[in-house]
Amino acid sequence: MEIKKDSRHRGSVSRLICLLLAVVLAAGLIISLGPGRKALAVDFKQPCSLTVKPGGEELSEDLKKADIIVDIYEVARAVDAENGQDTYRYEFLDGYKELEESMSQELNQEVWKRMAQTAAGYALEKGVPTAAGRISENELFKDLECGLYLIIARGAGIDNYKTTVKGQDGSENIATVAHSESYEYIFLPELISLPSKQDENGNHTTAGNGEWEYDIDVTLKPGRNPRAGSLEIVKNLVTYNVNDPAVFVFQVEAEIGGKNVYSDVVTMIFTEAGQKKVVLDKIPAGATVKVTEIYSGASYEVTSAAEQTVTVSATAVVSVEFDNDHSTTNHGGGGVNNHFTYDSEDGWQLEQQPANRTVGE
């Protein structure tokens, strides 16, 4: 992995001095030095490293398929604290000086989140990453100077990876996205201080007892939403028997990992030769869909494969195509279109609809 250094002007020194909270994905605790404890000076000449992990065990396997890039932005440089405190203060870089005002507040988790949002607003518009790397299992960023950094994760190959999500208080928050085949992952920007310490609960903090740690691990904690796609069923009728409408019925079953995730029955009715199409929406992306022509009318026969299988994609409509022709018989026939929907409380529900529908219109 190549790490690109940013040589931007670092800005003037902030005169705000405070004990800094932990910023490894969640605010940590401020811990005072115990009686008789000797302050351990920060070595600003020692380089730091940051290892970024793609997520917890329940997400890590699928996250590996999302082709995630992590961008690291330097927000502030660490400089000596005054009054002999065993901590350091920030020298905010140009573009991030607005964060100085937040440092004068009572620092808590919500303040850190707002600071990350402010930093991300500038970084995603005008900022240049200090380092960037693709994540497979872990990504190690070496030779980082002591200071405050912004972590932004995004999907490779996605032009518009910036989005907004609503917070619990209804506010709009900046976020970035990445896509695997089946899920959309949503990342909030995070701030982290290098170096930091660990408290008795394992939280990272820039104040308190203990030794400074210059090599820090963080784990991405994205939200995720299932992705969906569409299936098009194309029916070609070569010859039409003018006695009665031609009715064709298809069974649609979709599975992921052996579990049924979608089921429907689709009917098409022809009153002349030609082609008709039906589009089924909101099928989970990545699902394997089997479409079977289970009824070909009283006077018609299928001349293509009667059963076809495709994999649903979130980025394109997948299609199956069936051909029918008039057989030697002349029996009449008719049909209705039964649409099945699934409810977690009531199970599968039947709804009769007009034939030749395009679901989702």
Side-chain angles (χ1 to χ4, degrees):
M1 178 197 71
E2 180 181 359
I3 295 180
K4 299 180 180 178
K5 285 292 183 181
D6 182 8
S7 59
R8 295 170 293 164
H9 176 59
R10 298 186 179 279
S12 61
V13 176
S14 167
R15 305 307 299 173
L16 300 170
I17 301 173
C18 60
L19 297 181
L20 307 179
L21 290 175
V23 286
V24 180
L25 304 181
L29 301 175
I30 295 180
I31 304 176
S32 301
L33 286 173
R37 292 297 301 271
K38 181 180 179 181
L40 305 174
V42 180
D43 183 1
F44 295 118
K45 294 182 179 180
Q46 182 169 336
C48 300
S49 70
L50 179 64
T51 299
V52 182
K53 301 179 181 180
E57 293 183 2
E58 70 280 6
L59 302 180
S60 60
E61 286 302 317
D62 193 64
L63 273 170
K64 293 176 186 178
K65 305 173 186 177
D67 198 10
I68 296 171
I69 291 178
V70 172
D71 294 324
I72 306 296
Y73 296 84
E74 187 178 16
V75 172
R77 182 184 181 186
V79 294
D80 287 320
E82 297 178 357
N83 301 324
Q85 295 286 351
D86 180 28
T87 184
Y88 54 83
R89 56 193 174 94
Y90 292 139
E91 174 189 314
F92 287 95
L93 306 186
D94 289 342
Y96 301 101
K97 295 183 182 299
E98 187 179 344
L99 276 66
E100 291 181 354
E101 182 179 350
S102 297
M103 299 301 297
S104 64
Q105 303 177 31
E106 181 182 351
L107 297 176
N108 55 40
Q109 187 172 3
E110 290 304 315
V111 172
W112 279 112
K113 287 182 178 179
R114 290 198 299 270
M115 290 175 63
Q117 286 289 306
T118 300
Y122 175 80
L124 291 174
E125 292 295 330
K126 299 180 181 179
V128 178
T130 304
R134 258 186 176 87
I135 280 186
S136 53
E137 292 186 358
N138 299 326
E139 188 57 58
L140 175 64
F141 299 94
K142 297 181 179 179
D143 299 324
L144 298 174
E145 296 183 15
C146 299
L148 182 64
Y149 290 87
L150 178 71
I151 302 174
I152 292 181
R154 59 184 175 87
I158 302 177
D159 293 332
N160 298 318
Y161 55 82
K162 178 183 176 182
T163 186
T164 58
V165 295
K166 282 192 175 183
Q168 293 181 349
D169 60 356
S171 61
E172 293 286 340
N173 295 314
I174 296 172
T176 49
V177 299
H179 295 149
S180 68
E181 183 179 46
S182 301
Y183 291 96
E184 176 184 66
Y185 289 92
I186 303 170
F187 300 89
L188 291 173
E190 299 286 352
L191 287 170
I192 180 170
S193 288
L194 301 176
S196 64
K197 302 177 181 182
Q198 284 196 48
D199 63 21
E200 62 272 17
N201 297 317
N203 297 315
H204 287 266
T205 176
T206 56
N209 302 326
E211 298 183 358
W212 290 103
E213 296 182 6
Y214 296 84
D215 304 312
I216 305 298
D217 293 355
V218 298
T219 300
L220 300 177
K221 299 178 181 179
R224 72 174 183 178
N225 296 315
R227 303 178 75 193
S230 300
L231 167 70
E232 179 185 62
I233 303 175
V234 180
K235 164 60 69 178
N236 298 306
L237 181 59
V238 178
T239 306
Y240 175 66
N241 178 3
V242 297
N243 290 333
D244 293 293
V247 179
F248 304 96
V249 182
F250 302 88
Q251 180 72 43
V252 182
E253 300 292 338
E255 292 186 351
I256 294 180
K259 180 180 179 180
N260 184 275
V261 294
Y262 183 94
S263 182
D264 203 352
V265 175
V266 177
T267 302
M268 292 188 186
I269 299 176
F270 285 73
T271 56
E272 61 182 359
Q275 184 183 82
K276 291 184 181 293
K277 301 177 181 180
V278 170
V279 177
L280 304 178
D281 295 322
K282 299 181 180 179
I283 302 175
T288 299
V289 183
K290 181 172 67 175
V291 183
T292 307
E293 185 169 316
I294 58 176
Y295 180 70
S296 300
S299 303
Y300 300 88
E301 59 185 3
V302 60
T303 57
S304 61
E307 180 180 293
Q308 300 181 37
T309 302
V310 292
T311 300
V312 173
S313 169
T315 59
V317 178
V318 296
S319 180
V320 292
E321 190 166 350
F322 296 83
D323 299 327
N324 288 76
D325 202 354
H326 183 251
S327 64
T328 57
T329 62
N330 286 288
H331 301 296
V336 295
N337 193 24
N338 294 324
H339 176 57
F340 294 86
T341 57
Y342 182 79
D343 182 272
S344 59
E345 295 183 357
D346 300 324
W348 291 104
Q349 301 296 311
L350 171 63
E351 177 187 358
Q352 291 188 343
Q353 298 179 337
N356 301 327
R357 79 191 193 283
T358 297
V359 176
E361 289 187 343

